Amino acid sequence: MAELAPHELRVLVAVAETGGFSAAAVRLGLTQSAVSHSVRGSEAKVGAVLFERGRTGASPTPAGERAVGLARHILRLYEVLGAEVRGAGREASQAVGGVLRIAAFRSAALHLLPPALERLTARHPGIRPEVRVVRELGAGTAGEVAAGRADLGIATLNGAGTGAGTGIAEAGAGAGAGALLTGVLREEAYALVHPAGHPDPKTLPLLDWDENCGSYTRDWWRAQDWIPRATVKAEDDAMVLTMVGRGLGMAILPELSLREATDAVDVTGLGPSGPVRRVGYVTTTESASTLAVRALIRELRSETA
């Protein structure tokens, strides 16, 4: 099979991200016919249809999703190659530079990443972090890594190192490069959160949100006869916490979410048998070897030690 050149990979990514040949042409400064010709050539080289063409634009086929994910990873390696080579043999503080793309769920982006990034950029001034907040639904933050849109993700992990009912299990079957590497950064217990001073919080309705962890937590919930079915679903954990403070119900939240708790709520532990979630990083084998990702992982581990 003939190899795809970097400019052909850029065309595939642009078509996928803009949703059409015309928009991709504008982004790349090419003509629409040049983009169309490039895509047809790439399809001939790989032996598969990569995009479904329609009146409203172009969307990747399953083969196209895979090709675009791999294209992002390959182009990213081209980007970091220069920085990695220039960093070889230089002083540690000056060896790492360039953009570092990070995906994180909301509470991790608020509470786990900032101190690690503060130390990282102090030690390596050349690093420019770009953080995107991604909901832990579907492929979640791990999906951003698998699709080549992030170098490292902060995700919820279960004991087997696969997605907590969402991210990594789905991302592993998705569009990106090969194996995803994970590492646990912290284990945090869930706690019962209820309006401050309430005499019997277990009688309150349960508040929940769509991202609230995975199947292993749900199994624990189902075994507790005092926990009712969720009656209210909120957008995120911060909204749940606010609603609890307003006296609208109780909730079961992990420690990172509870860092925003105010005096309007009380927090009660669930004991040694209560659910625990693992929060960790997700990256690819290729990204894990780069200086910037390795430096960030060191700082994240230092933050959670």
Side-chain angles (χ1 to χ4, degrees):
M1 184 183 70
E3 296 178 354
L4 299 186
H7 71 271
E8 293 174 303
L9 300 179
R10 294 188 183 95
V11 168
L12 296 181
V13 172
V15 173
E17 293 182 349
T18 63
F21 291 2
S22 297
V26 171
R27 173 188 285 191
L28 298 171
L30 302 172
T31 65
Q32 180 179 348
S33 61
V35 169
S36 179
H37 177 76
S38 178
V39 172
R40 287 197 304 270
S42 296
E43 290 176 327
K45 288 181 179 180
V46 302
V49 175
L50 302 179
F51 292 94
E52 294 285 353
R53 285 80 158 168
R55 293 181 179 178
T56 59
S59 58
T61 63
E65 289 281 2
R66 182 69 174 165
V68 169
L70 289 168
R72 288 195 188 99
H73 284 286
I74 294 167
L75 291 171
R76 180 59 175 160
L77 290 176
Y78 276 119
E79 291 175 7
V80 302
L81 185 148
E84 293 288 308
V85 172
R86 288 191 298 271
R90 298 173 65 184
E91 292 185 12
S93 62
Q94 301 299 321
V96 188
V99 173
L100 177 59
R101 307 169 305 161
I102 306 160
F105 59 90
R106 193 197 68 87
S107 58
L110 280 176
H111 305 297
L112 191 59
L113 269 177
L117 292 180
E118 183 179 17
R119 291 192 303 273
L120 178 72
T121 53
R123 292 175 180 170
H124 306 285
I127 289 182
R128 302 189 304 278
E130 292 182 355
V131 180
R132 294 179 59 243
V133 176
V134 177
R135 300 188 73 192
E136 282 288 73
L137 299 173
T141 56
E144 296 300 294
V145 174
R149 290 185 288 265
D151 304 312
L152 181 141
I154 306 296
T156 51
L157 315 174
N158 70 7
T162 55
T166 54
I168 298 171
E170 293 188 26
L180 295 182
L181 301 180
T182 67
V184 175
L185 294 171
R186 61 185 290 130
E187 293 187 350
E188 52 183 27
Y190 281 72
L192 174 65
V193 190
H194 51 87
H198 194 283
D200 191 5
K202 292 183 178 180
T203 63
L204 293 170
L206 177 67
L207 308 178
D208 201 6
W209 83 102
D210 289 336
E211 293 177 81
N212 196 8
C213 226
S215 58
Y216 60 97
T217 305
R218 301 296 183 189
D219 292 342
W220 180 88
W221 282 22
R222 282 191 290 269
Q224 313 304 310
D225 56 11
W226 59 272
I227 300 180
R229 185 181 297 275
T231 56
V232 179
K233 279 284 184 73
E235 178 70 18
D236 58 34
D237 49 350
M239 189 178 296
V240 169
L241 200 55
T242 299
M243 294 172 72
V244 171
R246 295 283 185 174
L248 298 175
M250 65 168 177
I252 298 175
L253 295 173
E255 190 275 331
L256 275 177
S257 299
L258 294 175
R259 293 194 182 184
E260 299 167 69
T262 67
D263 293 340
V265 304
D266 287 338
V267 178
T268 303
L270 295 172
S273 63
V276 174
R277 79 169 178 178
R278 293 171 174 85
V279 176
Y281 65 84
V282 184
T283 187
T284 64
T285 52
E286 298 86 0
S287 292
S289 66
T290 63
L291 296 172
V293 169
R294 285 158 52 193
L296 175 57
I297 291 173
R298 283 195 297 269
E299 298 302 338
L300 287 168
R301 290 195 179 281
S302 173
E303 173 65 20
T304 57

PDB file of all heavy atoms in Angstrom, residues 11 103 144 149 237 279 305:
ATOM      1  N   VAL A  11      -5.224  17.003   5.022  1.00  0.00           N
ATOM      2  CA  VAL A  11      -6.496  17.145   4.307  1.00  0.00           C
ATOM      3  C   VAL A  11      -7.567  16.270   4.962  1.00  0.00           C
ATOM      4  O   VAL A  11      -8.701  16.714   5.185  1.00  0.00           O
ATOM      5  CB  VAL A  11      -6.328  16.790   2.814  1.00  0.00           C
ATOM      6  CG1 VAL A  11      -7.692  16.656   2.135  1.00  0.00           C
ATOM      7  CG2 VAL A  11      -5.498  17.850   2.109  1.00  0.00           C
ATOM      8  N   ALA A 103      -6.722  17.025  28.046  1.00  0.00           N
ATOM      9  CA  ALA A 103      -8.173  16.931  28.216  1.00  0.00           C
ATOM     10  C   ALA A 103      -8.451  16.463  29.636  1.00  0.00           C
ATOM     11  O   ALA A 103      -7.781  15.549  30.136  1.00  0.00           O
ATOM     12  CB  ALA A 103      -8.780  15.956  27.213  1.00  0.00           C
ATOM     13  N   GLU A 144     -10.591  11.690  23.599  1.00  0.00           N
ATOM     14  CA  GLU A 144      -9.813  12.788  23.027  1.00  0.00           C
ATOM     15  C   GLU A 144      -8.377  12.351  22.759  1.00  0.00           C
ATOM     16  O   GLU A 144      -7.779  12.721  21.758  1.00  0.00           O
ATOM     17  CB  GLU A 144      -9.831  13.991  23.976  1.00  0.00           C
ATOM     18  CG  GLU A 144     -11.202  14.598  24.197  1.00  0.00           C
ATOM     19  CD  GLU A 144     -11.818  15.089  22.906  1.00  0.00           C
ATOM     20  OE1 GLU A 144     -11.273  16.050  22.332  1.00  0.00           O
ATOM     21  OE2 GLU A 144     -12.824  14.509  22.465  1.00  0.00           O
ATOM     22  N   ARG A 149      -6.689  14.237  19.630  1.00  0.00           N
ATOM     23  CA  ARG A 149      -6.948  15.639  19.952  1.00  0.00           C
ATOM     24  C   ARG A 149      -6.297  16.078  21.263  1.00  0.00           C
ATOM     25  O   ARG A 149      -6.296  17.260  21.600  1.00  0.00           O
ATOM     26  CB  ARG A 149      -8.460  15.895  20.011  1.00  0.00           C
ATOM     27  CG  ARG A 149      -9.150  15.841  18.652  1.00  0.00           C
ATOM     28  CD  ARG A 149     -10.603  16.218  18.757  1.00  0.00           C
ATOM     29  NE  ARG A 149     -11.373  15.178  19.405  1.00  0.00           N
ATOM     30  CZ  ARG A 149     -12.041  14.220  18.763  1.00  0.00           C
ATOM     31  NH1 ARG A 149     -12.006  14.169  17.434  1.00  0.00           N
ATOM     32  NH2 ARG A 149     -12.731  13.314  19.417  1.00  0.00           N
ATOM     33  N   ASP A 237     -21.515  18.124  38.529  1.00  0.00           N
ATOM     34  CA  ASP A 237     -21.416  17.954  39.973  1.00  0.00           C
ATOM     35  C   ASP A 237     -21.520  19.269  40.725  1.00  0.00           C
ATOM     36  O   ASP A 237     -22.028  19.311  41.854  1.00  0.00           O
ATOM     37  CB  ASP A 237     -20.129  17.220  40.341  1.00  0.00           C
ATOM     38  CG  ASP A 237     -18.889  17.802  39.673  1.00  0.00           C
ATOM     39  OD1 ASP A 237     -19.032  18.651  38.778  1.00  0.00           O
ATOM     40  OD2 ASP A 237     -17.776  17.382  40.033  1.00  0.00           O
ATOM     41  N   VAL A 279      -8.815   8.026  39.841  1.00  0.00           N
ATOM     42  CA  VAL A 279      -8.595   9.083  38.873  1.00  0.00           C
ATOM     43  C   VAL A 279      -7.165   8.948  38.375  1.00  0.00           C
ATOM     44  O   VAL A 279      -6.231   8.783  39.172  1.00  0.00           O
ATOM     45  CB  VAL A 279      -8.803  10.473  39.507  1.00  0.00           C
ATOM     46  CG1 VAL A 279      -8.474  11.581  38.506  1.00  0.00           C
ATOM     47  CG2 VAL A 279     -10.247  10.615  39.995  1.00  0.00           C
ATOM     48  N   ALA A 305       0.892  12.580  45.500  1.00  0.00           N
ATOM     49  CA  ALA A 305       1.664  11.685  46.370  1.00  0.00           C
ATOM     50  C   ALA A 305       1.242  11.873  47.826  1.00  0.00           C
ATOM     51  O   ALA A 305       0.891  12.961  48.251  1.00  0.00           O
ATOM     52  CB  ALA A 305       3.140  11.974  46.207  1.00  0.00           C
TER      53      ALA A 305
END
